[in-house]
Amino acid sequence: MLENMWRGVAIVAASDEGYKLGERILKLLKNKEIPVVLYKYKEADIEKIWNCFDVIIFIMALEGSVRTICKYAKAKHLDPPVIGIDDLGKYVIPVLGGHWGANEVTLEISELINATPIITTASELKSKPNVELIAKLTISKIENPENIVKINSAILKGERVCLKGIDIKVEGLEEYSEECKYVITTTSEENINNHDKVILKLKPLELAVGIGSKKSVDIEIVSEKIIKILERLKIRNRIRVVASVREEMKRIAEILNAKFKLVSFDEIRNFEHPCLTPPSNKLIELGIKGVAEISALLAGGSSSRLVFRKISIDNEVTLA
Amino acid sequence: MLENMWRGVAIVAASDEGYKLGERILKLLKNKEIPVVLYKYKEADIEKIWNCFDVIIFIMALEGSVRTICKYAKAKHLDPPVIGIDDLGKYVIPVLGGHWGANEVTLEISELINATPIITTASELKSKPNVELIAKLTISKIENPENIVKINSAILKGERVCLKGIDIKVEGLEEYSEECKYVITTTSEENINNHDKVILKLKPLELAVGIGSKKSVDIEIVSEKIIKILERLKIRNRIRVVASVREEMKRIAEILNAKFKLVSFDEIRNFEHPCLTPPSNKLIELGIKGVAEISALLAGGSSSRLVFRKISIDNEVTLA
């Protein structure tokens, strides 16, 4: 599940002891190429974090997590999964979104730090998938929203709902066959006999990649690593633009058959976005807010959003 | 700690399985003469429960407790301790008020039902007592509220604060000696040299006892049992009125050197109070809302409040 958390894991620690545990989790997740940011509770803008990350881990007493959650929670289908860990790292507890990923992340984190997972949801009450979740997982736009309610209520009623041309597996949904009455498909799949069918069309969004790097990197090694990550994420063929402040990254655009956008430091300085990963101390010294995420968002244009928070590759290159 | 929860334990269960666990806890607490009421989540008026009980136990997935808590939580010093238990009774988790009783109750309940207590608060961060808590524990009114802030901030600063003539032990507060600058005392203790001292006076409130019973009970046995409970609660000498619909309970008033109030069923029928324990099915059949609590509140007069929720003695008598 953690590898699906593209917008990243936010770790928020209240005490010094908790922050040390946070640093340990940060390192473990970075090693797995999972986007992750560690915050001190006092300095964190929880409202931004709530809207910008795919999962939040609070390291503090459960009561602290609960009182914080109460300030920002809206509704089951709107809130990110939230996990609580005590300062000593004894327990990992899904606090919100047990059936929306928190249970799985809890199991993964507790294995990583050797803690006890405290799962309190009834396993038979698994929540059903919904159209919005599938659109999110496939980074798509729903083309005919008038059918959302029909498809979601078919899922809730336990009717057969099928996926066509969608490269993910979703528990409770089936692969397409002619008999399916309810179908979720992509706009590229036009060959469905839609007589008597309720079809929901997802338009895969175009993706832009932003790359930051040190001045001296071996572009062949870097491009190989980046391609490998894009393949793991199953988006290699969906990249339309590669953007960077470094001319040599054009090579990666060529390999991906994408356009290249050279970004200037001026553009970076003038760019604002609520979900940007806070800059490292080193970047702050250089007077830069960040490179990879801003490059990607600049290349994506004004309607773009951050779908994959930056990760670092070998401490030489960042990718968003 | 449970024995200090005079206004009672509210158990709120969401599922059928959770309700069965709730019935088990209900029985175990009743055996300990602890006031307790079990509710079905769908039927429960959580807002009333929030204000009327000394501790709330939610039997449901933690997320359910958290979303419910978010609707009613106000602030640390205003909210009751809240405990979460999963439907299977594997874990008992303090969710709110860890340092205000929830941790202790968690340990007691988990021992009772053989579950694992999940304590997440840092033990060194124990919250300090405060004047309001002491007034509550001693069922007293603060006579000179202008000194509350001074005493509370002395406690917070770790200065020496002493109790005089108060028959409870509170961690962090000392027994009175001449050197104490900050003193919490009762209005009956006038012999303090108050030169240079900051004194907070508590006026113990007068107490009324309400008794309900079956028609045929052995009054000698019943009175003995009731006196024993009042002694355990350390309020035997503070009872001013005993009230009941049964004339024979006058005997208990005599033993306690208290007045007796004979309550009529008409008075009971016309009485309303938000914190009354819901009537049992048997009482509903009889068209009665309850006896013990209403009798006590009627005897206490219009300014009275429920300080000890009714308990049942041998299924023959109720006491509030």
Side-chain angles (χ1 to χ4, degrees):
Chain A
M1 177 56 72
L2 275 167
E3 75 277 1
N4 291 331
M5 300 297 179
W6 286 19
R7 293 193 310 148
V9 178
I11 307 173
V12 182
S15 70
D16 291 346
E17 200 168 13
Y19 195 81
K20 274 181 211 152
L21 175 61
E23 289 178 315
R24 205 177 126 212
I25 298 173
L26 183 85
K27 201 179 266 181
L28 289 163
L29 295 185
K30 279 192 169 174
N31 287 345
K32 289 169 157 284
E33 286 171 354
I34 292 161
V36 54
V37 182
L38 172 61
Y39 296 90
K40 286 185 176 145
Y41 180 73
K42 280 186 187 170
E43 298 164 3
D45 181 340
I46 308 283
E47 188 159 11
K48 265 193 197 174
I49 292 173
W50 199 263
N51 296 316
C52 291
F53 284 81
D54 275 342
V55 61
I56 304 176
I57 299 177
F58 287 116
I59 304 181
M60 57 181 76
L62 184 61
E63 168 153 13
S65 313
V66 171
R67 296 222 179 251
T68 309
I69 285 168
C70 288
K71 287 189 205 153
Y72 303 102
K74 292 168 201 95
K76 274 197 181 197
H77 63 287
L78 292 175
D79 298 323
V82 178
I83 282 142
I85 307 182
D86 60 301
D87 282 345
L88 302 178
K90 279 177 75 177
Y91 306 113
V92 185
I93 312 172
V95 192
L96 279 194
H99 293 309
W100 298 79
N103 285 354
E104 288 92 333
V105 172
T106 287
L107 294 172
E108 292 172 47
I109 298 280
S110 51
E111 201 173 319
L112 279 178
I113 63 168
N114 198 20
T116 308
I118 308 295
I119 307 288
T120 62
T121 42
S123 58
E124 68 276 17
L125 291 174
K126 280 216 170 177
S127 100
K128 308 235 175 175
N130 61 56
V131 167
E132 293 87 346
L133 185 71
I134 293 157
K136 192 189 156 194
L137 286 175
T138 55
I139 317 170
S140 304
K141 193 184 152 192
I142 297 168
E143 282 281 283
N144 52 342
E146 66 274 15
N147 277 354
I148 292 178
V149 172
K150 281 182 205 159
I151 300 272
N152 278 346
S153 70
I155 296 173
L156 281 178
K157 282 181 197 154
E159 298 202 48
R160 194 168 161 191
V161 178
C162 307
L163 296 178
K164 185 163 199 292
I166 289 175
D167 193 18
I168 54 165
K169 277 194 179 162
V170 180
E171 209 174 329
L173 304 186
E174 296 182 27
E175 267 185 63
Y176 180 75
S177 65
E178 273 300 320
E179 303 83 55
C180 295
K181 188 180 168 198
Y182 298 94
V183 185
I184 303 172
T185 184
T186 59
T187 40
S188 55
E189 299 274 330
E190 299 292 355
N191 53 341
I192 297 177
N193 159 22
N194 67 6
H195 181 64
D196 277 347
K197 288 195 199 305
V198 180
I199 295 171
L200 190 104
K201 288 189 183 174
L202 298 179
K203 183 182 170 194
L205 296 174
E206 303 199 320
L207 300 176
V209 159
I211 301 169
S213 88
K214 290 187 176 170
K215 271 186 186 154
S216 55
V217 292
D218 182 326
I219 188 68
E220 290 307 319
I221 294 177
V222 166
S223 62
E224 198 176 298
K225 286 191 174 161
I226 287 179
I227 301 290
K228 223 168 152 181
I229 291 170
L230 296 175
E231 280 172 353
R232 171 170 70 76
L233 300 175
K234 295 186 181 170
I235 53 171
R236 177 185 169 144
N237 298 324
R238 288 176 63 184
I239 309 298
R240 292 292 163 268
V241 200
V242 173
S244 182
V245 291
R246 305 230 178 276
E247 185 83 48
E248 55 265 46
M249 297 301 163
K250 203 170 180 177
R251 176 82 192 100
I252 296 171
E254 284 164 15
I255 298 171
L256 291 169
N257 206 12
K259 283 186 229 166
F260 179 70
K261 178 182 164 63
L262 186 66
V263 174
S264 75
F265 279 104
D266 255 6
E267 284 178 290
I268 286 186
R269 256 188 295 277
N270 295 325
F271 190 83
E272 298 281 353
H273 192 283
C275 289
L276 293 179
T277 299
S280 62
N281 288 335
K282 207 176 159 188
L283 281 178
I284 291 171
E285 266 174 45
L286 294 169
I288 304 172
K289 274 180 286 188
V291 175
E293 292 169 4
I294 297 178
S295 299
L297 288 163
L298 280 167
S302 60
S303 66
S304 65
R305 56 189 167 87
L306 187 67
V307 293
F308 187 85
R309 187 171 294 282
K310 76 164 182 192
I311 57 170
S312 165
I313 305 169
D314 300 339
N315 271 322
E316 288 199 320
V317 175
T318 54
L319 173 75
Chain B
M1 177 57 72
L2 275 168
E3 75 275 1
N4 291 331
M5 300 296 179
W6 286 18
R7 293 194 309 149
V9 178
I11 307 173
V12 182
S15 72
D16 291 345
E17 199 169 14
Y19 195 81
K20 273 181 212 151
L21 175 60
E23 289 177 316
R24 207 177 126 213
I25 299 172
L26 183 85
K27 201 179 267 182
L28 289 163
L29 295 185
K30 279 191 170 174
N31 286 345
K32 290 170 157 285
E33 287 171 355
I34 291 161
V36 54
V37 182
L38 172 62
Y39 295 90
K40 286 185 177 145
Y41 180 73
K42 278 186 188 167
E43 298 164 2
D45 181 341
I46 308 283
E47 188 159 12
K48 264 194 199 174
I49 292 173
W50 199 265
N51 297 317
C52 291
F53 285 80
D54 276 341
V55 61
I56 303 176
I57 299 176
F58 287 116
I59 304 181
M60 56 182 77
L62 184 61
E63 169 152 13
S65 313
V66 171
R67 296 220 180 252
T68 309
I69 285 169
C70 288
K71 286 189 206 152
Y72 303 103
K74 292 169 200 97
K76 275 197 182 198
H77 63 288
L78 292 174
D79 298 323
V82 178
I83 283 142
I85 307 182
D86 59 301
D87 282 345
L88 303 178
K90 278 177 76 178
Y91 306 113
V92 185
I93 312 173
V95 192
L96 279 193
H99 292 311
W100 299 78
N103 285 354
E104 287 92 333
V105 172
T106 287
L107 294 172
E108 292 173 45
I109 298 279
S110 51
E111 200 173 320
L112 279 178
I113 63 169
N114 198 19
T116 308
I118 309 294
I119 308 288
T120 62
T121 42
S123 58
E124 68 277 16
L125 291 174
K126 281 214 170 177
S127 101
K128 309 237 174 172
N130 61 56
V131 167
E132 293 87 346
L133 185 71
I134 294 157
K136 190 189 157 195
L137 287 175
T138 56
I139 318 169
S140 303
K141 193 185 152 193
I142 297 167
E143 282 282 282
N144 52 341
E146 65 274 16
N147 278 353
I148 292 178
V149 173
K150 281 181 204 161
I151 300 272
N152 278 345
S153 69
I155 296 172
L156 282 177
K157 283 181 196 154
E159 298 202 48
R160 193 168 162 192
V161 178
C162 306
L163 296 177
K164 186 163 199 293
I166 290 174
D167 194 17
I168 54 165
K169 276 194 181 165
V170 181
E171 211 176 326
L173 303 187
E174 298 183 26
E175 267 185 62
Y176 179 75
S177 65
E178 274 301 318
E179 302 83 56
C180 295
K181 189 181 167 195
Y182 298 93
V183 185
I184 302 172
T185 184
T186 58
T187 41
S188 55
E189 298 274 329
E190 299 292 354
N191 53 342
I192 297 176
N193 159 22
N194 67 6
H195 181 65
D196 276 348
K197 289 193 199 306
V198 180
I199 296 171
L200 190 106
K201 287 188 183 175
L202 299 179
K203 184 183 169 190
L205 296 174
E206 303 198 320
L207 301 175
V209 159
I211 301 169
S213 88
K214 291 188 176 169
K215 270 187 187 151
S216 55
V217 292
D218 182 326
I219 187 67
E220 289 307 318
I221 293 176
V222 166
S223 63
E224 199 176 300
K225 285 190 173 161
I226 288 179
I227 301 289
K228 224 167 149 181
I229 291 169
L230 297 175
E231 280 171 354
R232 170 170 70 76
L233 301 174
K234 294 186 183 170
I235 52 170
R236 178 187 167 144
N237 298 323
R238 288 176 64 182
I239 309 298
R240 293 291 164 269
V241 200
V242 173
S244 181
V245 290
R246 305 233 178 275
E247 185 83 48
E248 56 266 47
M249 297 301 165
K250 203 171 180 177
R251 175 85 190 98
I252 297 171
E254 284 164 14
I255 298 171
L256 291 169
N257 206 13
K259 283 186 229 167
F260 179 70
K261 179 181 166 63
L262 186 66
V263 173
S264 75
F265 280 104
D266 255 8
E267 284 178 291
I268 286 186
R269 256 186 295 277
N270 294 324
F271 190 83
E272 299 280 355
H273 192 282
C275 288
L276 292 180
T277 299
S280 63
N281 289 336
K282 207 177 158 189
L283 282 178
I284 291 171
E285 266 173 46
L286 295 168
I288 304 173
K289 274 181 286 190
V291 175
E293 292 169 3
I294 297 178
S295 298
L297 288 162
L298 280 167
S302 60
S303 66
S304 65
R305 56 190 167 87
L306 187 67
V307 293
F308 187 85
R309 186 170 294 282
K310 75 164 182 191
I311 56 171
S312 163
I313 305 169
D314 301 337
N315 271 322
E316 288 200 318
V317 175
T318 54
L319 173 74

